[in-house]
């Protein structure tokens, strides 16, 4: 590709207005297409940075860029946000007052406005196109372009009218932006929008900052709360299947003291609007919603997305989880799955065919999508890999470090074949006439009236799996159904039945696998973390919290959304680098001149005060952290041992983790741990919580009071081997500096 470098004015503008020091690779290509007036289709996952692709070139050119956007509410926020960073933008929508309208027209007429946002129907059906024509419109950007396709998840008929815009703006180039990955939707966009030999830029679909987990659903409410509790004060979405589930879940969360609000299509417009506003303004933390809750979400710091049940397709799942971590910070997506989900969704789809008149083709396709989704849930491959491959891309890393499979949350059930045979023969002995609950009771040897009255306690399979917890057993039965080795049939009172695969398993001709939660997953899930979920190593958690409070105040004072003041990513960098002057502040990616001027002083003051109070170092140089600090790090320079130690010390000073330093300095983890102990002993940092959680520190200190710090082993044993030697060594070094 003959890729001329982009003009320097463009980089200047990106730095000045947005505060970004560089463009992401795909953004460069996408921006070049706009500047070259070459139609394009840009496919980037949520959070990939699509908006900059049309906003930045608009700023450095004369004339006008039209942005077509589906939601009026988002338009207003986007325009407010751009105005705030010094970009002349305006909107044309039905909610403008007469005075606002006049001002917008004036800006367009005089040529000061660079970007105008409008809806598809307004662009095509009103006279405003004359005004826009006369203002030298050279670029049309269609945001959320998948809305034009009925194959997408968000079809909007009014987008179809955009086919006509070419008549009105024959000279303008047209650029479509979407996060939807499917080939079918892509083709549809090109055709419906009449794109002319478009350049097509498709980004990687992997979202390295998201951790994906699929867990068997055993106690939905308790499990959902467990996830929320891992993210105190953070924003999240809980997706439920039905309106009724939304109402129940939301009520339960509220009753338990969470700041939760509901959202589903059955609610009045005003009530839905209220939910969106409360969430955007950070007055609510958790939105409990059906899939209807989607594009209107304008919050980049969603830290968790929970699916209380399996979604219908992998596309839906990707869209919905995509709403987490748009700011690039670590976020978590947990799907609670039960084999029952597949069955009830399938039943709903089939009913829509029989009673709702959906075509046979539609039913068949939907069931196929459902099967793909269920396969994902049951699968034992890396979730990142599975998702990326689903969208036709490759994933090379052998361990993503960010999914239940790679993190070892689940493990194979030992001797799964024997377990499976026991379950299947129990179904056979019960003459394939009983449901899951009864089969479980028999296998566990329960003493119930139902069992005694039918003499099921005399079956040879009675009590065969006595020691297996009920929930595990239920989950395994669903896993067997999922793998086609068992069938559940009948709608109201479904019974378990065998098929040929069942007999193949029992005779050993087919094999199956069963999975269970690893014990240590439970432990790591609920604690041991020194840092709040999203923070990079070295960021001071207390400061981050303070800055968040401050942001809320400043936002309501300035009448904007909190993220328009600074994103979470920016606050995290502040908590890490602790800038105390405008210069170091502006060096943080995402600050820029305009925001530094408007909000900088208040934040700097707070940081100075915090550092004074705590003795934390100010203006720490910031090693670059790639999204999800586990992701591959940039090239490193080879250094001599002493230089490496120096580098390690420097990184420790900014709170970098042992793994990070090991990678950056190309050292073995054991060497880095030694260096860290030395660092703690000689440099006496005020705290070691960046490396050892507060809880572990306390436990080691308590054990050291009994056994002293001469030897590691007694302390290790005192703590039942639950704290590793490395952590004990670091805490000892720390206690050493306190004792002196
Ligand atoms: P999308 O519309 O694709 O979901 P956004 O345009 O909302 O993505 O951008 C996602 C996030 O990435 C925003 O927080 C934005 O500030 C940030 N971002 C975009 N481009 C860059 C860049 N070149 N450097 C650093 N951050 C960027
Ligand atoms: Zn993985």
């Amino acid at each position: 590709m003959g890729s001329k470098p982009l003009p320097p004015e463009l980089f200047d503008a990106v730095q000045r207005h947005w505060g970004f020091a560089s463009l992401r690779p795909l953004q460069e290509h996408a921006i070049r297409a706009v500047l070259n007036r070459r139609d394009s289709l840009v496919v980037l996952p949520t959070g990939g940075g699509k908006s900059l692709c049309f906003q930045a070139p608009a700023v450095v050119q004369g004339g006008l860029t039209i942005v077509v956007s589906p939601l009026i509410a988002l338009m207003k926020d986007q325009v407010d946000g751009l105005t705030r960073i010094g970009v002349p933008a305006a909107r044309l929508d039905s909610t403008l007052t007469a005075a606002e309208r006049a001002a917008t027209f004036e800006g367009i007429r005089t040529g000061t406005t660079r970007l105008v946002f409008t809806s598809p129907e307004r662009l095509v059906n009103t006279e405003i196109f004359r005004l826009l024509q006369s203002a030298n419109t050279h670029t049309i950007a269609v945001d959320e372009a998948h809305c034009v396709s009925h194959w997408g998840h968000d079809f909007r008929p009014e987008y179809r009218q955009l086919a006509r815009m070419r008549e009105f703006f024959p000279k303008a180039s047209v650029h479509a932006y979407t996060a939807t990955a499917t080939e079918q939707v892509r083709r549809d966009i090109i055709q419906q929008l009449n794109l002319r030999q478009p350049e097509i830029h498709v980004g990687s679909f992997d979202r390295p900052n998201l951790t994906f987990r699929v867990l068997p659903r055993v106690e939905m409410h308790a499990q959902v709360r467990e996830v929320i509790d891992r993210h105190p004060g953070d924003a999240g979405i809980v997706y439920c299947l039905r309106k009724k589930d939304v109402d129940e879940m939301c009520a339960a969360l509220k009753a338990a003291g969470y700041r939760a609000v509901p959202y589903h299509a059955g609610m009045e417009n005003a009530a839905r609007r209220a939910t969106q506003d409360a969430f955007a303004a950070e007055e609510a933390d958790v939105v409990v919603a059906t899939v209807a809750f989607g594009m209107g979400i304008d919050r980049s710091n969603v830290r968790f997305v929970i699916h209380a049940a399996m979604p219908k397709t992998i596309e839906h799942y990707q869209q919905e989880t995509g709403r987490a971590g748009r700011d690039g910070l670590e976020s978590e997506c947990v799907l609670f799955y039960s084999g029952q989900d597949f069955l009830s969704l399938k039943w709903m789809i089939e009913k829509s065919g029989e009673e709702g008149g959906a075509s046979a083709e539609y039913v068949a396709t939907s069931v196929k999508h459902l099967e793909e989704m269920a396969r994902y849930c049951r699968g034992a491959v890396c979730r990142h890999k599975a998702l990326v491959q689903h969208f036709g891309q490759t994933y090379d890393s052998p361990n993503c470090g960010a999914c239940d499979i790679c993190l070892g949350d689940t493990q194979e059930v030992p001797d799964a074949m024997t377990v499976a045979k026991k379950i299947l023969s129990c179904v056979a002995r019960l003459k394939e006439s009983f449901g899951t609950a009864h089969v479980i009771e028999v296998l566990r040897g329960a003493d119930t009236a139902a069992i005694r009255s039918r003499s099921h306690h005399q079956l040879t399979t009675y009590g065969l799996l006595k020691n297996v917890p009920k929930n595990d057993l239920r989950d395994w039965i669903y896993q067997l159904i999922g793998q086609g080795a068992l069938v559940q049939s009948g709608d109201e009172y479904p019974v378990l039945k065998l098929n040929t695969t069942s007999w193949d398993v029992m005779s050993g001709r087919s094999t199956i696998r069963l999975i269970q939660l690893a014990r240590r997953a439970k432990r790591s899930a609920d604690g041991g973390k020194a840092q709040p979920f999203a923070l990079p190593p070295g960021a001071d958690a207390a400061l981050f919290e303070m800055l968040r409070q401050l942001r809320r105040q400043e936002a309501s004072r300035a009448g904007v959304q909190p993220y328009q003041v600074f994103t979470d990513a920016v606050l995290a960098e502040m908590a890490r680098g602790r800038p105390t002057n405008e210069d170091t502040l502006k060096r943080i990616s995402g600050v820029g001149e305009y925001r530094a001027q408007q909000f900088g002083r208040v934040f700097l003051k707070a940081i100075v005060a915090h550092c004074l109070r705590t003795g934390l170092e100010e203006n720490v140089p910031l090693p670059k952290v790639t999204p999800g600090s586990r992701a591959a790090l940039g090239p490193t320079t080879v250094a001599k041992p002493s230089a490496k130690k120096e580098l390690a010390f420097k990184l420790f000073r900014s709170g970098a983790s042992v793994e990070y330093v090991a990678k950056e300095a190309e050292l073995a983890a054991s060497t880095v741990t030694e260096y860290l102990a030395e660092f703690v002993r000689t440099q006496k940092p005020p705290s070691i919580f960046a490396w050892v959680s507060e809880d572990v520190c306390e436990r080691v200190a308590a054990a050291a009071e009994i056994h002293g710090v001469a030897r590691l082993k007694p302390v290790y044993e005192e703590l039942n081997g639950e704290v590793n030697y490395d952590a004990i060594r670091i805490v000892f070094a720390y206690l050493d500096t306190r004792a002196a």
Side-chain angles (χ1 to χ4, degrees):
M1 206 184 321
S3 45
K4 266 194 323 200
L6 293 170
E9 315 78 274
L10 189 114
F11 289 104
D12 289 348
V14 166
Q15 172 71 57
R16 193 169 57 244
H17 296 287
W18 285 272
F20 302 143
S22 59
L23 291 174
R24 296 171 178 163
L26 212 90
Q27 285 177 329
E28 278 197 33
H29 295 302
I31 288 174
R32 192 172 294 116
V34 174
L35 292 176
N36 291 342
R37 305 259 195 283
R38 172 81 191 264
D39 283 6
S40 65
L41 168 63
V42 176
V43 187
L44 264 180
T46 316
K50 284 183 284 299
S51 46
L52 197 68
C53 300
F54 54 83
Q55 291 171 354
V59 174
V60 295
Q61 303 182 84
L64 194 65
T65 295
I66 299 175
V67 184
V68 179
S69 167
L71 291 174
I72 291 178
L74 287 195
M75 257 184 247
K76 181 173 181 319
D77 287 341
Q78 280 176 314
V79 170
D80 288 351
L82 285 169
T83 314
R84 211 146 266 287
I85 58 171
V87 175
R91 70 196 155 99
L92 284 166
D93 67 44
S94 51
T95 68
L96 292 182
T97 64
E100 285 172 331
R101 235 176 114 78
T104 296
F105 280 8
E106 182 65 12
I108 294 171
R109 221 184 331 262
T110 57
T112 48
T113 299
R114 291 274 164 275
L115 282 145
V116 62
F117 288 71
T118 192
S119 60
E121 59 274 31
R122 203 150 273 268
L123 180 62
V124 177
N125 295 344
T126 65
E127 290 294 299
I128 62 160
F129 75 88
R130 289 186 202 287
L131 172 71
L132 300 175
Q133 274 172 339
S134 67
N136 179 22
T137 294
H138 50 66
T139 306
I140 300 177
V142 182
D143 207 0
E144 313 283 3
H146 57 275
C147 292
V148 82
S149 170
H150 68 266
W151 294 109
H153 45 84
D154 224 334
F155 176 53
R156 292 180 176 239
E158 60 282 12
Y159 259 63
R160 283 288 163 92
Q161 302 172 359
L162 287 172
R164 289 190 59 205
M165 72 192 162
R166 282 242 112 113
E167 295 166 33
F168 304 144
F169 304 98
K171 287 205 215 97
S173 58
V174 178
H175 306 268
Y177 302 88
T178 181
T180 303
T182 57
E183 196 50 53
Q184 209 171 22
V185 174
R186 248 181 254 168
R187 272 199 303 270
D188 222 13
I189 293 174
I190 293 175
Q191 201 191 1
Q192 299 288 344
L193 295 181
N194 259 324
L195 300 187
R196 296 191 200 119
Q197 299 182 323
E199 275 183 21
I200 301 178
H201 296 293
V202 183
S204 160
F205 274 89
D206 189 37
R207 299 281 311 275
N209 62 317
L210 303 187
T211 296
F212 292 101
R213 289 194 164 87
V214 181
L215 296 174
R217 184 172 68 235
V218 281
E219 272 176 277
M220 179 164 76
H221 284 254
Q223 286 177 299
V224 165
R225 282 175 58 174
E226 206 179 293
V227 178
I228 301 179
D229 289 344
R230 284 210 281 277
H231 306 270
D234 278 337
I237 306 170
V238 182
Y239 281 109
C240 301
L241 218 49
R242 284 165 290 247
K243 295 175 213 161
K244 181 174 137 275
D245 306 332
V246 166
D247 291 332
E248 277 172 23
M249 173 72 71
C250 190
L253 288 176
K254 269 195 197 149
Y258 297 88
R259 299 200 304 169
V261 282
Y263 190 101
H264 58 68
M267 287 162 53
E268 302 272 321
N269 266 340
R272 278 189 288 161
R273 181 79 217 158
T275 286
Q276 285 186 341
D277 289 346
F279 192 56
E282 301 196 351
E283 282 152 17
D285 298 326
V286 183
V287 177
V288 186
T290 57
V291 291
F293 189 56
M295 275 194 306
I297 307 165
D298 200 14
R299 192 162 169 179
S300 66
N301 61 349
V302 171
R303 286 280 85 82
F304 60 91
V305 169
I306 300 172
H307 281 83
M310 184 180 93
K312 276 189 238 159
T313 70
I314 295 191
E315 273 79 44
H316 279 95
Y317 185 61
Q318 190 238 5
Q319 283 294 324
E320 285 148 23
T321 53
R323 289 168 189 137
R326 289 181 57 170
D327 53 12
L329 298 183
E330 295 201 7
S331 309
E332 185 181 21
C333 306
V334 185
L335 192 169
F336 292 112
Y337 168 76
S338 146
Q340 192 60 53
D341 295 346
F342 176 78
L343 298 169
S344 31
L345 282 167
K346 185 159 170 247
W347 186 73
M348 273 158 68
I349 291 170
E350 281 164 357
K351 210 171 90 174
S352 79
E354 283 159 25
E355 293 164 22
S359 73
E361 189 200 350
Y362 171 84
V363 170
T365 320
S366 306
V367 171
K368 198 178 120 244
H369 286 158
L370 203 57
E371 279 165 357
E372 285 169 353
M373 187 69 229
R375 215 172 303 133
Y376 169 86
C377 293
R378 292 192 319 266
V381 279
C382 169
R383 309 289 179 192
H384 282 268
K385 185 176 182 147
L387 287 172
V388 162
Q389 285 183 341
H390 177 82
F391 295 109
Q393 299 184 332
T394 53
Y395 190 81
D396 293 329
S397 169
N399 184 315
C400 74
C403 79
D404 52 347
I405 307 289
C406 295
L407 291 169
D409 284 7
T410 54
Q411 63 189 29
E412 300 253 347
V413 173
D415 210 6
M417 281 302 281
T418 311
V419 174
K421 284 178 194 171
K422 287 178 180 171
I423 295 172
L424 296 175
S425 38
C426 185
V427 174
R429 295 268 173 250
L430 289 169
K431 302 208 162 49
E432 306 177 44
S433 318
F434 291 86
T436 313
H438 191 73
V439 172
I440 291 173
E441 304 264 75
V442 173
L443 280 164
R444 298 184 73 240
D447 182 19
T448 67
I451 287 180
R452 259 176 285 126
S453 70
R454 296 184 174 86
S455 300
H456 285 166
H457 57 291
Q458 284 164 0
L459 294 175
T460 50
T461 51
Y462 181 74
L464 267 186
L465 294 169
K466 211 181 197 77
N467 299 322
V468 178
K470 210 186 253 179
N471 288 331
D472 284 2
L473 204 45
R474 174 172 298 118
D475 191 49
W476 294 344
I477 289 176
Y478 283 130
Q479 289 182 33
L480 287 174
I481 296 173
Q483 292 173 62
L486 196 57
V487 184
Q488 195 173 33
S489 73
D491 291 338
E492 211 172 343
Y493 299 106
V495 298
L496 292 175
K497 290 190 182 298
L498 304 173
N499 59 13
T500 47
T501 312
S502 322
W503 293 104
D504 285 348
V505 171
M506 281 190 274
S507 64
R509 257 174 303 176
S510 283
T511 53
I512 50 94
R513 307 172 55 205
L514 296 174
I515 281 173
Q516 68 187 354
L517 269 189
R519 230 165 253 116
R520 66 193 184 84
K522 290 217 172 88
R523 295 178 49 82
S524 73
D526 58 22
K529 264 194 181 261
Q531 299 277 358
F533 203 75
L535 286 189
D540 185 71
L543 179 57
F544 180 72
E545 265 325 302
M546 265 181 44
L547 296 175
R548 277 217 307 194
Q549 294 288 344
L550 192 60
R551 173 176 67 180
R552 217 166 292 156
Q553 269 171 38
E554 287 300 296
S556 86
R557 217 168 47 93
V560 296
Q561 310 286 15
Y563 79 95
Q564 289 177 331
V565 176
F566 289 122
T567 62
D568 271 26
V570 170
L571 297 189
E573 286 299 87
M574 286 186 190
R576 192 158 77 102
R578 300 182 285 275
T580 56
N581 57 59
E582 202 174 305
D583 220 36
T584 43
L585 176 69
K586 275 199 292 204
R587 241 174 268 157
I588 290 179
S589 174
V591 173
E593 257 168 43
Y594 292 86
R595 285 202 188 91
Q597 243 167 47
Q598 283 170 72
F599 303 109
R601 288 244 321 267
V602 193
F603 283 81
L604 290 175
K605 253 172 67 184
I607 296 171
V608 171
H610 184 78
C611 290
L612 266 179
R613 205 164 338 114
T614 55
L616 282 171
E617 194 185 342
E618 301 171 353
N619 303 307
V620 181
L622 293 175
K624 197 169 154 47
V625 172
T626 32
S629 46
R630 68 187 165 273
L633 295 159
T636 50
T637 45
V638 182
K640 292 191 292 292
S642 63
K644 285 193 174 184
K645 193 197 267 185
E646 243 172 52
L647 175 61
F649 274 34
K650 198 170 122 202
L651 293 173
F652 288 142
R653 232 164 258 132
S654 69
S657 69
V658 169
E659 298 87 69
Y660 182 90
V661 176
K663 272 198 188 149
E664 193 78 342
E666 295 185 309
L667 288 167
S670 56
T671 315
V672 177
T673 308
E674 260 170 49
Y675 283 174
L676 179 58
E678 183 182 334
F679 172 81
V680 170
R681 204 165 270 129
T682 59
Q683 310 291 307
K684 303 188 178 26
S687 130
I688 55 168
F689 297 155
W691 306 286
V692 184
S693 78
E694 211 167 328
D695 174 52
V696 168
C697 262
E698 269 173 25
R699 292 179 64 196
V700 174
E705 275 185 14
I706 309 171
H707 300 282
V709 295
R711 286 174 43 215
L712 300 168
K713 197 163 176 216
V715 169
Y716 179 80
E717 281 169 357
E718 174 76 29
L719 300 174
N720 310 318
E722 286 163 10
V723 175
N724 64 38
Y725 279 108
D726 287 344
I728 300 176
R729 197 169 287 135
I730 305 304
V731 180
F732 275 15
Y734 181 69
L735 294 174
D736 213 28
T737 66
R738 302 289 118 165

